Each structure stands twice: as C-alpha cells, then as structure tokens.
Short mmCIF file of all heavy atoms in Angstrom, two decimals:
data_model
loop_
_atom_site.label_atom_id
_atom_site.label_comp_id
_atom_site.label_asym_id
_atom_site.label_seq_id
_atom_site.Cartn_x
_atom_site.Cartn_y
_atom_site.Cartn_z
N MET A 1259 0.85 -1.21 0.00
CA MET A 1259 0.01 0.00 -0.01
C MET A 1259 0.87 1.25 0.01
O MET A 1259 0.70 2.16 -0.79
CB MET A 1259 -0.92 -0.01 1.21
CG MET A 1259 -1.76 1.24 1.33
SD MET A 1259 -2.80 1.10 2.80
CE MET A 1259 -3.92 2.41 2.42
N THR A 1260 1.80 1.30 0.92
CA THR A 1260 2.72 2.44 0.99
C THR A 1260 4.10 1.87 1.30
O THR A 1260 4.26 0.71 1.55
CB THR A 1260 2.31 3.40 2.12
OG1 THR A 1260 2.25 2.67 3.32
CG2 THR A 1260 1.01 4.07 1.84
N ASP A 1261 5.11 2.72 1.29
CA ASP A 1261 6.45 2.26 1.63
C ASP A 1261 6.57 1.88 3.10
O ASP A 1261 7.33 1.00 3.47
CB ASP A 1261 7.47 3.40 1.32
CG ASP A 1261 7.54 3.65 -0.17
OD1 ASP A 1261 7.14 2.76 -0.92
OD2 ASP A 1261 7.96 4.75 -0.55
N THR A 1262 5.81 2.61 3.93
CA THR A 1262 5.86 2.32 5.36
C THR A 1262 4.74 1.35 5.72
O THR A 1262 3.58 1.63 5.45
CB THR A 1262 5.65 3.63 6.18
OG1 THR A 1262 6.48 4.64 5.59
CG2 THR A 1262 5.97 3.42 7.62
N PRO A 1263 5.09 0.22 6.29
CA PRO A 1263 4.00 -0.72 6.64
C PRO A 1263 3.05 -0.13 7.66
O PRO A 1263 3.44 0.68 8.50
CB PRO A 1263 4.75 -1.90 7.28
CG PRO A 1263 6.19 -1.73 6.95
CD PRO A 1263 6.40 -0.26 6.68
N ASN A 1264 1.79 -0.53 7.56
CA ASN A 1264 0.77 -0.12 8.50
C ASN A 1264 0.57 1.41 8.60
O ASN A 1264 0.27 1.93 9.64
CB ASN A 1264 1.03 -0.65 9.91
CG ASN A 1264 1.15 -2.17 9.89
OD1 ASN A 1264 0.36 -2.83 9.22
ND2 ASN A 1264 2.13 -2.71 10.53
N SER A 1265 0.75 2.10 7.48
CA SER A 1265 0.59 3.56 7.52
C SER A 1265 -0.74 3.99 6.91
O SER A 1265 -0.92 5.12 6.54
CB SER A 1265 1.73 4.25 6.83
OG SER A 1265 1.73 3.87 5.45
N GLY A 1266 -1.66 3.00 6.76
CA GLY A 1266 -2.96 3.32 6.17
C GLY A 1266 -3.88 4.11 7.08
O GLY A 1266 -3.61 4.21 8.28
N GLU A 1267 -4.96 4.57 6.49
CA GLU A 1267 -5.95 5.31 7.25
C GLU A 1267 -6.68 4.42 8.24
O GLU A 1267 -6.80 3.20 8.04
CB GLU A 1267 -6.99 5.89 6.31
CG GLU A 1267 -6.50 7.03 5.45
CD GLU A 1267 -6.11 8.23 6.30
OE1 GLU A 1267 -6.75 8.48 7.35
OE2 GLU A 1267 -5.19 8.96 5.88
N PHE A 1268 -7.20 5.02 9.27
CA PHE A 1268 -8.02 4.36 10.24
C PHE A 1268 -9.49 4.79 10.08
O PHE A 1268 -9.76 5.90 9.66
CB PHE A 1268 -7.57 4.70 11.68
CG PHE A 1268 -6.30 4.03 12.10
CD1 PHE A 1268 -5.08 4.61 11.75
CD2 PHE A 1268 -6.32 2.88 12.84
CE1 PHE A 1268 -3.89 4.00 12.17
CE2 PHE A 1268 -5.13 2.27 13.23
CZ PHE A 1268 -3.91 2.84 12.92
N ILE A 1269 -10.38 3.91 10.49
CA ILE A 1269 -11.76 4.26 10.68
C ILE A 1269 -12.19 3.89 12.08
O ILE A 1269 -11.54 3.00 12.69
CB ILE A 1269 -12.73 3.63 9.64
CG1 ILE A 1269 -12.77 2.11 9.81
CG2 ILE A 1269 -12.34 3.99 8.23
CD1 ILE A 1269 -13.94 1.45 9.08
N VAL A 1270 -13.21 4.53 12.58
CA VAL A 1270 -13.73 4.17 13.89
C VAL A 1270 -15.16 3.70 13.66
O VAL A 1270 -15.94 4.35 12.97
CB VAL A 1270 -13.74 5.40 14.84
CG1 VAL A 1270 -14.37 5.03 16.18
CG2 VAL A 1270 -12.32 5.91 15.05
N VAL A 1271 -15.49 2.51 14.20
CA VAL A 1271 -16.84 1.98 14.11
C VAL A 1271 -17.43 1.91 15.50
O VAL A 1271 -16.91 1.26 16.39
CB VAL A 1271 -16.81 0.57 13.47
CG1 VAL A 1271 -18.24 0.03 13.31
CG2 VAL A 1271 -16.08 0.58 12.16
N LYS A 1272 -18.57 2.60 15.65
CA LYS A 1272 -19.31 2.57 16.91
C LYS A 1272 -20.57 1.78 16.72
O LYS A 1272 -21.45 2.15 15.93
CB LYS A 1272 -19.70 4.00 17.37
CG LYS A 1272 -18.56 4.90 17.67
CD LYS A 1272 -18.99 6.09 18.51
CE LYS A 1272 -19.77 7.14 17.68
NZ LYS A 1272 -20.12 8.32 18.48
N ALA A 1273 -20.69 0.66 17.41
CA ALA A 1273 -21.85 -0.21 17.27
C ALA A 1273 -23.05 0.41 17.99
O ALA A 1273 -22.94 0.76 19.18
CB ALA A 1273 -21.57 -1.60 17.79
N LYS A 1274 -24.18 0.52 17.29
CA LYS A 1274 -25.40 1.06 17.88
C LYS A 1274 -26.38 -0.04 18.25
O LYS A 1274 -27.52 0.23 18.67
CB LYS A 1274 -26.08 2.05 16.90
CG LYS A 1274 -25.20 3.23 16.55
CD LYS A 1274 -25.07 4.18 17.73
CE LYS A 1274 -24.11 5.29 17.40
NZ LYS A 1274 -23.79 6.06 18.65
N ASP A 1275 -26.01 -1.27 17.99
CA ASP A 1275 -26.86 -2.41 18.24
C ASP A 1275 -25.95 -3.61 18.51
O ASP A 1275 -24.77 -3.56 18.22
CB ASP A 1275 -27.69 -2.65 16.96
CG ASP A 1275 -29.04 -3.30 17.26
OD1 ASP A 1275 -29.24 -3.75 18.40
OD2 ASP A 1275 -29.86 -3.37 16.33
N ASN A 1276 -26.54 -4.67 19.01
CA ASN A 1276 -25.76 -5.89 19.18
C ASN A 1276 -25.56 -6.58 17.79
O ASN A 1276 -26.41 -6.49 16.95
CB ASN A 1276 -26.45 -6.87 20.14
CG ASN A 1276 -26.48 -6.30 21.56
OD1 ASN A 1276 -25.58 -5.57 21.95
ND2 ASN A 1276 -27.51 -6.66 22.30
N GLY A 1277 -24.44 -7.25 17.65
CA GLY A 1277 -24.22 -8.06 16.45
C GLY A 1277 -23.85 -7.29 15.22
O GLY A 1277 -24.13 -7.74 14.11
N VAL A 1278 -23.19 -6.16 15.37
CA VAL A 1278 -22.68 -5.42 14.22
C VAL A 1278 -21.41 -6.14 13.74
O VAL A 1278 -20.58 -6.53 14.52
CB VAL A 1278 -22.37 -3.94 14.58
CG1 VAL A 1278 -21.58 -3.25 13.48
CG2 VAL A 1278 -23.63 -3.18 14.91
N ASN A 1279 -21.35 -6.37 12.42
CA ASN A 1279 -20.17 -7.03 11.83
C ASN A 1279 -19.31 -6.04 11.07
O ASN A 1279 -19.80 -5.29 10.25
CB ASN A 1279 -20.61 -8.13 10.90
CG ASN A 1279 -21.04 -9.37 11.65
OD1 ASN A 1279 -20.18 -10.05 12.25
ND2 ASN A 1279 -22.31 -9.67 11.64
N VAL A 1280 -18.03 -6.08 11.36
CA VAL A 1280 -17.04 -5.31 10.63
C VAL A 1280 -16.18 -6.30 9.87
O VAL A 1280 -15.55 -7.17 10.44
CB VAL A 1280 -16.17 -4.47 11.59
CG1 VAL A 1280 -15.14 -3.62 10.79
CG2 VAL A 1280 -17.05 -3.61 12.48
N ILE A 1281 -16.22 -6.21 8.54
CA ILE A 1281 -15.63 -7.26 7.69
C ILE A 1281 -14.49 -6.64 6.85
O ILE A 1281 -14.71 -5.65 6.16
CB ILE A 1281 -16.71 -7.82 6.77
CG1 ILE A 1281 -17.86 -8.38 7.59
CG2 ILE A 1281 -16.12 -8.88 5.84
CD1 ILE A 1281 -19.16 -8.53 6.81
N GLY A 1282 -13.31 -7.25 6.97
CA GLY A 1282 -12.17 -6.79 6.18
C GLY A 1282 -12.09 -7.51 4.85
O GLY A 1282 -12.15 -8.74 4.81
N LEU A 1283 -12.00 -6.74 3.75
CA LEU A 1283 -11.88 -7.30 2.39
C LEU A 1283 -10.45 -7.20 1.92
O LEU A 1283 -9.79 -6.15 2.12
CB LEU A 1283 -12.83 -6.59 1.42
CG LEU A 1283 -14.29 -6.99 1.49
CD1 LEU A 1283 -14.94 -6.53 2.76
CD2 LEU A 1283 -15.03 -6.48 0.30
N THR A 1284 -9.99 -8.25 1.24
CA THR A 1284 -8.57 -8.32 0.87
C THR A 1284 -8.23 -7.33 -0.25
O THR A 1284 -9.06 -7.05 -1.14
CB THR A 1284 -8.25 -9.73 0.35
OG1 THR A 1284 -9.16 -10.08 -0.70
CG2 THR A 1284 -8.32 -10.76 1.44
N ARG A 1285 -7.02 -6.84 -0.19
CA ARG A 1285 -6.48 -5.97 -1.21
C ARG A 1285 -6.00 -6.83 -2.41
O ARG A 1285 -5.53 -7.95 -2.19
CB ARG A 1285 -5.31 -5.15 -0.66
CG ARG A 1285 -4.71 -4.19 -1.65
CD ARG A 1285 -3.66 -3.34 -1.02
NE ARG A 1285 -4.18 -2.51 0.07
CZ ARG A 1285 -4.87 -1.40 -0.09
NH1 ARG A 1285 -5.15 -0.96 -1.32
NH2 ARG A 1285 -5.33 -0.72 0.94
N GLY A 1286 -6.11 -6.34 -3.60
CA GLY A 1286 -5.63 -7.04 -4.80
C GLY A 1286 -6.77 -7.55 -5.66
O GLY A 1286 -7.91 -7.27 -5.44
N GLN A 1287 -6.41 -8.36 -6.67
CA GLN A 1287 -7.37 -8.82 -7.66
C GLN A 1287 -8.48 -9.69 -7.05
O GLN A 1287 -9.59 -9.66 -7.50
CB GLN A 1287 -6.64 -9.63 -8.72
CG GLN A 1287 -5.99 -8.72 -9.77
CD GLN A 1287 -5.89 -9.44 -11.08
OE1 GLN A 1287 -5.10 -10.40 -11.20
NE2 GLN A 1287 -6.64 -9.02 -12.06
N ASP A 1288 -8.06 -10.44 -6.06
CA ASP A 1288 -9.01 -11.36 -5.38
C ASP A 1288 -9.68 -10.60 -4.22
O ASP A 1288 -8.98 -10.08 -3.38
CB ASP A 1288 -8.18 -12.53 -4.87
CG ASP A 1288 -9.04 -13.59 -4.15
OD1 ASP A 1288 -10.21 -13.70 -4.48
OD2 ASP A 1288 -8.49 -14.25 -3.26
N THR A 1289 -11.00 -10.49 -4.27
CA THR A 1289 -11.72 -9.82 -3.19
C THR A 1289 -12.45 -10.83 -2.36
O THR A 1289 -13.38 -11.46 -2.83
CB THR A 1289 -12.71 -8.77 -3.76
OG1 THR A 1289 -12.00 -7.85 -4.58
CG2 THR A 1289 -13.41 -8.02 -2.63
N ARG A 1290 -11.99 -11.02 -1.13
CA ARG A 1290 -12.66 -11.95 -0.23
C ARG A 1290 -12.59 -11.42 1.18
O ARG A 1290 -11.80 -10.51 1.46
CB ARG A 1290 -12.06 -13.34 -0.33
CG ARG A 1290 -10.59 -13.35 -0.11
CD ARG A 1290 -9.96 -14.71 -0.28
NE ARG A 1290 -8.52 -14.57 -0.19
CZ ARG A 1290 -7.86 -14.36 0.91
NH1 ARG A 1290 -8.50 -14.34 2.09
NH2 ARG A 1290 -6.56 -14.19 0.92
N PHE A 1291 -13.40 -11.98 2.04
CA PHE A 1291 -13.37 -11.60 3.47
C PHE A 1291 -12.13 -12.24 4.10
O PHE A 1291 -11.90 -13.42 3.92
CB PHE A 1291 -14.60 -12.12 4.23
CG PHE A 1291 -15.92 -11.55 3.79
CD1 PHE A 1291 -17.09 -11.99 4.37
CD2 PHE A 1291 -16.00 -10.55 2.82
CE1 PHE A 1291 -18.33 -11.46 4.00
CE2 PHE A 1291 -17.24 -10.03 2.43
CZ PHE A 1291 -18.40 -10.50 3.04
N HIS A 1292 -11.34 -11.50 4.83
CA HIS A 1292 -10.24 -12.12 5.57
C HIS A 1292 -10.44 -12.04 7.07
O HIS A 1292 -9.74 -12.70 7.83
CB HIS A 1292 -8.88 -11.54 5.17
CG HIS A 1292 -8.65 -10.11 5.54
ND1 HIS A 1292 -8.42 -9.71 6.86
CD2 HIS A 1292 -8.66 -9.00 4.83
CE1 HIS A 1292 -8.29 -8.43 6.90
NE2 HIS A 1292 -8.43 -7.95 5.68
N HIS A 1293 -11.35 -11.18 7.52
CA HIS A 1293 -11.59 -11.09 8.96
C HIS A 1293 -13.01 -10.54 9.21
O HIS A 1293 -13.42 -9.62 8.51
CB HIS A 1293 -10.57 -10.19 9.62
CG HIS A 1293 -10.68 -10.17 11.13
ND1 HIS A 1293 -10.08 -11.15 11.91
CD2 HIS A 1293 -11.38 -9.39 11.97
CE1 HIS A 1293 -10.38 -10.91 13.21
NE2 HIS A 1293 -11.17 -9.84 13.24
N THR A 1294 -13.70 -11.12 10.17
CA THR A 1294 -14.97 -10.57 10.60
C THR A 1294 -14.91 -10.34 12.10
O THR A 1294 -14.50 -11.20 12.83
CB THR A 1294 -16.12 -11.54 10.27
OG1 THR A 1294 -16.14 -11.77 8.89
CG2 THR A 1294 -17.44 -10.99 10.72
N GLU A 1295 -15.26 -9.13 12.50
CA GLU A 1295 -15.26 -8.79 13.90
C GLU A 1295 -16.70 -8.42 14.30
O GLU A 1295 -17.33 -7.60 13.65
CB GLU A 1295 -14.33 -7.58 14.12
CG GLU A 1295 -13.96 -7.29 15.53
CD GLU A 1295 -13.08 -8.34 16.19
OE1 GLU A 1295 -12.32 -9.02 15.47
OE2 GLU A 1295 -13.18 -8.49 17.40
N LYS A 1296 -17.17 -9.07 15.37
CA LYS A 1296 -18.56 -8.81 15.80
C LYS A 1296 -18.54 -7.87 17.00
O LYS A 1296 -17.81 -8.11 17.97
CB LYS A 1296 -19.23 -10.14 16.18
CG LYS A 1296 -20.72 -10.06 16.16
CD LYS A 1296 -21.36 -11.44 16.11
CE LYS A 1296 -22.37 -11.52 14.99
NZ LYS A 1296 -22.90 -12.85 14.78
N LEU A 1297 -19.31 -6.81 16.89
CA LEU A 1297 -19.38 -5.81 17.97
C LEU A 1297 -20.77 -5.80 18.59
O LEU A 1297 -21.79 -5.94 17.89
CB LEU A 1297 -19.11 -4.38 17.47
CG LEU A 1297 -17.81 -4.12 16.68
CD1 LEU A 1297 -17.72 -2.67 16.30
CD2 LEU A 1297 -16.62 -4.53 17.52
N ASP A 1298 -20.83 -5.60 19.90
CA ASP A 1298 -22.10 -5.42 20.58
C ASP A 1298 -22.32 -3.94 20.84
O ASP A 1298 -21.40 -3.11 20.72
CB ASP A 1298 -22.12 -6.20 21.88
CG ASP A 1298 -22.33 -7.70 21.64
OD1 ASP A 1298 -22.97 -8.04 20.59
OD2 ASP A 1298 -21.86 -8.53 22.44
N ARG A 1299 -23.54 -3.60 21.11
CA ARG A 1299 -23.97 -2.21 21.31
C ARG A 1299 -22.98 -1.49 22.27
O ARG A 1299 -22.70 -2.00 23.35
CB ARG A 1299 -25.40 -2.18 21.89
CG ARG A 1299 -25.96 -0.82 22.04
CD ARG A 1299 -27.35 -0.94 22.73
NE ARG A 1299 -27.89 0.35 23.02
CZ ARG A 1299 -28.57 1.09 22.17
NH1 ARG A 1299 -28.81 0.61 20.96
NH2 ARG A 1299 -29.03 2.28 22.51
N GLY A 1300 -22.49 -0.34 21.84
CA GLY A 1300 -21.59 0.45 22.68
C GLY A 1300 -20.13 0.14 22.47
O GLY A 1300 -19.26 0.88 22.89
N GLU A 1301 -19.84 -0.96 21.78
CA GLU A 1301 -18.42 -1.26 21.53
C GLU A 1301 -17.91 -0.48 20.37
O GLU A 1301 -18.62 -0.14 19.42
CB GLU A 1301 -18.26 -2.78 21.25
CG GLU A 1301 -18.48 -3.64 22.48
CD GLU A 1301 -18.16 -5.10 22.27
OE1 GLU A 1301 -18.49 -5.65 21.20
OE2 GLU A 1301 -17.57 -5.70 23.18
N VAL A 1302 -16.63 -0.15 20.43
CA VAL A 1302 -15.97 0.68 19.43
C VAL A 1302 -14.78 -0.11 18.89
O VAL A 1302 -14.02 -0.68 19.66
CB VAL A 1302 -15.49 2.01 20.06
CG1 VAL A 1302 -14.61 2.80 19.06
CG2 VAL A 1302 -16.68 2.87 20.49
N LEU A 1303 -14.64 -0.13 17.57
CA LEU A 1303 -13.48 -0.76 16.93
C LEU A 1303 -12.76 0.30 16.08
O LEU A 1303 -13.39 1.03 15.35
CB LEU A 1303 -13.92 -1.91 16.03
CG LEU A 1303 -12.80 -2.67 15.35
CD1 LEU A 1303 -12.05 -3.57 16.37
CD2 LEU A 1303 -13.28 -3.52 14.20
N ILE A 1304 -11.48 0.37 16.26
CA ILE A 1304 -10.63 1.25 15.45
C ILE A 1304 -9.91 0.33 14.47
O ILE A 1304 -9.18 -0.57 14.88
CB ILE A 1304 -9.62 2.02 16.32
CG1 ILE A 1304 -10.39 2.82 17.38
CG2 ILE A 1304 -8.76 2.95 15.46
CD1 ILE A 1304 -9.52 3.35 18.51
N ALA A 1305 -10.16 0.53 13.17
CA ALA A 1305 -9.63 -0.40 12.16
C ALA A 1305 -8.84 0.35 11.13
O ALA A 1305 -9.15 1.50 10.81
CB ALA A 1305 -10.80 -1.14 11.49
N GLN A 1306 -7.82 -0.32 10.60
CA GLN A 1306 -6.87 0.34 9.69
C GLN A 1306 -6.87 -0.32 8.30
O GLN A 1306 -6.99 -1.58 8.16
CB GLN A 1306 -5.46 0.23 10.29
CG GLN A 1306 -4.43 1.00 9.54
CD GLN A 1306 -3.04 0.83 10.16
OE1 GLN A 1306 -2.76 -0.23 10.73
NE2 GLN A 1306 -2.19 1.80 10.01
N PHE A 1307 -6.74 0.49 7.27
CA PHE A 1307 -6.50 -0.02 5.93
C PHE A 1307 -5.04 -0.35 5.80
O PHE A 1307 -4.18 0.47 6.18
CB PHE A 1307 -6.91 1.01 4.86
CG PHE A 1307 -8.41 1.23 4.82
CD1 PHE A 1307 -9.00 2.27 5.52
CD2 PHE A 1307 -9.20 0.37 4.10
CE1 PHE A 1307 -10.36 2.46 5.50
CE2 PHE A 1307 -10.60 0.56 4.05
CZ PHE A 1307 -11.16 1.60 4.76
N THR A 1308 -4.74 -1.56 5.38
CA THR A 1308 -3.35 -2.06 5.35
C THR A 1308 -3.04 -2.70 4.00
O THR A 1308 -3.87 -2.66 3.09
CB THR A 1308 -3.16 -3.16 6.42
OG1 THR A 1308 -3.97 -4.28 6.04
CG2 THR A 1308 -3.58 -2.68 7.81
N ASP A 1309 -1.87 -3.29 3.90
CA ASP A 1309 -1.50 -4.04 2.71
C ASP A 1309 -2.47 -5.17 2.42
O ASP A 1309 -2.65 -5.61 1.31
CB ASP A 1309 -0.11 -4.65 2.86
CG ASP A 1309 0.99 -3.60 2.79
OD1 ASP A 1309 0.68 -2.43 2.40
OD2 ASP A 1309 2.15 -3.92 3.13
N HIS A 1310 -3.13 -5.68 3.48
CA HIS A 1310 -4.04 -6.80 3.35
C HIS A 1310 -5.51 -6.37 3.24
O HIS A 1310 -6.35 -7.17 2.82
CB HIS A 1310 -3.88 -7.76 4.53
CG HIS A 1310 -2.52 -8.37 4.57
ND1 HIS A 1310 -1.61 -8.08 5.58
CD2 HIS A 1310 -1.87 -9.18 3.70
CE1 HIS A 1310 -0.48 -8.73 5.34
NE2 HIS A 1310 -0.62 -9.38 4.21
N THR A 1311 -5.81 -5.18 3.66
CA THR A 1311 -7.20 -4.71 3.73
C THR A 1311 -7.38 -3.46 2.89
O THR A 1311 -6.79 -2.44 3.21
CB THR A 1311 -7.59 -4.38 5.20
OG1 THR A 1311 -7.32 -5.52 5.99
CG2 THR A 1311 -9.07 -4.02 5.28
N SER A 1312 -8.23 -3.55 1.85
CA SER A 1312 -8.44 -2.34 1.02
C SER A 1312 -9.90 -1.86 1.11
O SER A 1312 -10.18 -0.78 0.60
CB SER A 1312 -8.07 -2.58 -0.44
OG SER A 1312 -8.98 -3.48 -1.02
N ALA A 1313 -10.73 -2.68 1.72
CA ALA A 1313 -12.13 -2.24 1.87
C ALA A 1313 -12.65 -2.83 3.15
O ALA A 1313 -12.18 -3.91 3.59
CB ALA A 1313 -12.97 -2.69 0.66
N ILE A 1314 -13.57 -2.12 3.76
CA ILE A 1314 -14.16 -2.61 5.02
C ILE A 1314 -15.68 -2.48 4.89
O ILE A 1314 -16.19 -1.44 4.48
CB ILE A 1314 -13.66 -1.77 6.23
CG1 ILE A 1314 -12.14 -1.93 6.39
CG2 ILE A 1314 -14.37 -2.19 7.52
CD1 ILE A 1314 -11.49 -1.00 7.40
N LYS A 1315 -16.34 -3.58 5.16
CA LYS A 1315 -17.80 -3.64 5.03
C LYS A 1315 -18.43 -3.70 6.43
O LYS A 1315 -17.93 -4.46 7.28
CB LYS A 1315 -18.14 -4.87 4.23
CG LYS A 1315 -19.61 -5.19 4.11
CD LYS A 1315 -19.76 -6.30 3.08
CE LYS A 1315 -21.14 -6.87 3.05
NZ LYS A 1315 -21.34 -7.76 1.90
N ILE A 1316 -19.45 -2.93 6.66
CA ILE A 1316 -20.13 -2.89 7.95
C ILE A 1316 -21.57 -3.32 7.84
O ILE A 1316 -22.32 -2.76 7.00
CB ILE A 1316 -20.00 -1.50 8.57
CG1 ILE A 1316 -18.53 -1.25 8.78
CG2 ILE A 1316 -20.73 -1.43 9.91
CD1 ILE A 1316 -17.81 -0.21 8.84
N ARG A 1317 -21.94 -4.32 8.59
CA ARG A 1317 -23.30 -4.83 8.59
C ARG A 1317 -23.92 -4.54 9.95
O ARG A 1317 -23.34 -4.90 10.95
CB ARG A 1317 -23.31 -6.32 8.42
CG ARG A 1317 -23.28 -6.81 6.98
CD ARG A 1317 -23.57 -8.30 6.95
NE ARG A 1317 -23.32 -8.81 5.63
CZ ARG A 1317 -22.70 -9.98 5.38
NH1 ARG A 1317 -22.34 -10.75 6.35
NH2 ARG A 1317 -22.54 -10.35 4.13
N GLY A 1318 -25.11 -3.92 9.94
CA GLY A 1318 -25.78 -3.65 11.20
C GLY A 1318 -25.76 -2.19 11.50
O GLY A 1318 -25.21 -1.36 10.78
N LYS A 1319 -26.37 -1.87 12.62
CA LYS A 1319 -26.58 -0.44 12.98
C LYS A 1319 -25.31 0.13 13.61
O LYS A 1319 -24.89 -0.32 14.69
CB LYS A 1319 -27.77 -0.35 13.93
CG LYS A 1319 -28.32 1.04 14.09
CD LYS A 1319 -29.60 1.01 14.94
CE LYS A 1319 -30.06 2.40 15.20
NZ LYS A 1319 -31.17 2.43 16.16
N ALA A 1320 -24.70 1.06 12.93
CA ALA A 1320 -23.40 1.61 13.42
C ALA A 1320 -23.18 3.00 12.93
O ALA A 1320 -23.77 3.44 11.93
CB ALA A 1320 -22.28 0.71 12.97
N THR A 1321 -22.29 3.71 13.63
CA THR A 1321 -21.79 4.98 13.18
C THR A 1321 -20.33 4.78 12.82
O THR A 1321 -19.57 4.17 13.58
CB THR A 1321 -21.92 6.04 14.27
OG1 THR A 1321 -23.30 6.17 14.65
CG2 THR A 1321 -21.42 7.40 13.82
N ILE A 1322 -19.92 5.26 11.64
CA ILE A 1322 -18.57 5.13 11.20
C ILE A 1322 -17.94 6.50 11.02
O ILE A 1322 -18.51 7.37 10.36
CB ILE A 1322 -18.52 4.36 9.84
CG1 ILE A 1322 -19.17 2.99 9.98
CG2 ILE A 1322 -17.09 4.18 9.36
CD1 ILE A 1322 -20.53 2.87 9.37
N LEU A 1323 -16.83 6.70 11.68
CA LEU A 1323 -16.09 7.96 11.61
C LEU A 1323 -14.86 7.78 10.74
O LEU A 1323 -14.09 6.83 10.95
CB LEU A 1323 -15.65 8.40 13.01
CG LEU A 1323 -16.73 8.92 13.97
CD1 LEU A 1323 -17.58 7.78 14.47
CD2 LEU A 1323 -16.11 9.64 15.11
N THR A 1324 -14.71 8.65 9.75
CA THR A 1324 -13.53 8.62 8.90
C THR A 1324 -13.04 10.05 8.70
O THR A 1324 -13.70 10.98 9.10
CB THR A 1324 -13.85 8.03 7.50
OG1 THR A 1324 -14.55 9.04 6.73
CG2 THR A 1324 -14.66 6.77 7.55
N LYS A 1325 -11.92 10.18 8.05
CA LYS A 1325 -11.39 11.52 7.78
C LYS A 1325 -12.29 12.30 6.81
O LYS A 1325 -12.20 13.48 6.68
CB LYS A 1325 -9.94 11.50 7.34
CG LYS A 1325 -9.71 11.01 5.93
CD LYS A 1325 -8.25 11.23 5.55
CE LYS A 1325 -8.00 10.97 4.09
NZ LYS A 1325 -6.58 11.19 3.76
N TYR A 1326 -13.17 11.54 6.12
CA TYR A 1326 -14.08 12.18 5.17
C TYR A 1326 -15.37 12.62 5.84
O TYR A 1326 -16.21 13.27 5.23
CB TYR A 1326 -14.42 11.21 4.02
CG TYR A 1326 -13.17 10.71 3.35
CD1 TYR A 1326 -12.70 9.43 3.58
CD2 TYR A 1326 -12.44 11.55 2.49
CE1 TYR A 1326 -11.53 8.98 3.00
CE2 TYR A 1326 -11.27 11.09 1.92
CZ TYR A 1326 -10.83 9.82 2.15
OH TYR A 1326 -9.66 9.38 1.57
N GLY A 1327 -15.56 12.22 7.09
CA GLY A 1327 -16.76 12.56 7.81
C GLY A 1327 -17.34 11.36 8.52
O GLY A 1327 -16.71 10.32 8.61
N THR A 1328 -18.56 11.55 9.00
CA THR A 1328 -19.24 10.51 9.77
C THR A 1328 -20.41 10.00 8.98
O THR A 1328 -21.14 10.80 8.36
CB THR A 1328 -19.70 11.12 11.13
OG1 THR A 1328 -18.57 11.62 11.81
CG2 THR A 1328 -20.40 10.11 11.99
N VAL A 1329 -20.61 8.71 9.01
CA VAL A 1329 -21.74 8.10 8.30
C VAL A 1329 -22.40 7.06 9.18
O VAL A 1329 -21.71 6.38 9.99
CB VAL A 1329 -21.27 7.54 6.93
CG1 VAL A 1329 -20.33 6.38 7.10
CG2 VAL A 1329 -22.47 7.15 6.06
N ASP A 1330 -23.72 6.99 9.09
CA ASP A 1330 -24.47 5.96 9.78
C ASP A 1330 -25.03 4.94 8.82
O ASP A 1330 -25.43 5.32 7.72
CB ASP A 1330 -25.64 6.61 10.55
CG ASP A 1330 -25.18 7.37 11.79
OD1 ASP A 1330 -25.10 6.73 12.84
OD2 ASP A 1330 -24.88 8.55 11.65
N THR A 1331 -25.09 3.70 9.22
CA THR A 1331 -25.80 2.72 8.40
C THR A 1331 -27.29 2.99 8.53
O THR A 1331 -27.75 3.50 9.52
CB THR A 1331 -25.45 1.29 8.81
OG1 THR A 1331 -25.75 1.11 10.20
CG2 THR A 1331 -23.99 0.94 8.57
N ASP A 1332 -28.05 2.63 7.50
CA ASP A 1332 -29.46 2.97 7.44
C ASP A 1332 -30.34 1.86 7.94
O ASP A 1332 -31.15 1.30 7.16
CB ASP A 1332 -29.85 3.25 5.98
CG ASP A 1332 -29.63 4.71 5.62
OD1 ASP A 1332 -29.45 5.52 6.54
OD2 ASP A 1332 -29.63 5.02 4.41
N ASN A 1333 -30.20 1.45 9.17
CA ASN A 1333 -31.19 0.46 9.66
C ASN A 1333 -31.39 0.54 11.14
O ASN A 1333 -30.85 1.37 11.82
CB ASN A 1333 -30.83 -0.96 9.20
CG ASN A 1333 -29.45 -1.39 9.60
OD1 ASN A 1333 -28.78 -0.69 10.37
ND2 ASN A 1333 -29.01 -2.52 9.16
N1 LIG B 1300 -9.71 -6.55 -3.79
C1 LIG B 1300 -10.30 -5.28 -4.06
C2 LIG B 1300 -9.21 -4.24 -4.30
O1 LIG B 1300 -8.14 -4.31 -3.70
C3 LIG B 1300 -11.14 -4.88 -2.87
C4 LIG B 1300 -11.90 -3.63 -3.06
C5 LIG B 1300 -11.45 -2.37 -2.88
C6 LIG B 1300 -13.28 -3.52 -3.47
N2 LIG B 1300 -12.48 -1.50 -3.13
C7 LIG B 1300 -13.58 -2.15 -3.52
C8 LIG B 1300 -14.27 -4.46 -3.84
C9 LIG B 1300 -14.80 -1.68 -3.92
C10 LIG B 1300 -15.49 -4.01 -4.24
C11 LIG B 1300 -15.77 -2.61 -4.27
O2 LIG B 1300 -9.43 -3.33 -5.10
#
C-alpha cells in the first residue's frame, strides 16, 4: 500500500446495536473476506486499511467515523 508498513488510514466503528459485523476485504485482484469482527452495542473498533485490507464492510446499525466525515448505516 505504501512504503511504510501499517501507515494506512483508520476508521472508527461505533456499534449502535448488538451483532454489528465489521468485515475486512482483501487488497488485490482477489476480493474476499479475511476477517470478521462482531461488535455489541456500545463497543468501538478502530480499524486500519493495510497491505491486506483495502475495503471494510459494515453490517448492522453503526456509526462510522472517517477523515471524510461521519456516516451511519441505514437500519
Ligand atoms: N480486492 C479489491 C481491491 O483491492 C477490494 C476492493 C477495494 C473492493 N475497493 C472495492 C471491492 C470496492 C469492491 C468494491 O481493489
């Protein structure tokens, strides 16, 4: 991703419900899930884009904070 390992952006995921899933998608031609993290209401996960992760999918009711702003899932 960059010359310096682990220098990717971070996002913050705040779970607004139980059972929110934060899913890491692999970087490169092959797009697959490489990690799923389950959050309960009130839990916060700080996640980073890395050489292995180029996209992050969020399932469930959550607020996501990024350098581009804050977004809520619609459910
Ligand atoms: N493997 C894809 C990639 O590195 C993952 C990905 C990034 C992706 N952005 C996406 C998949 C947007 C679907 C939509 O490019």
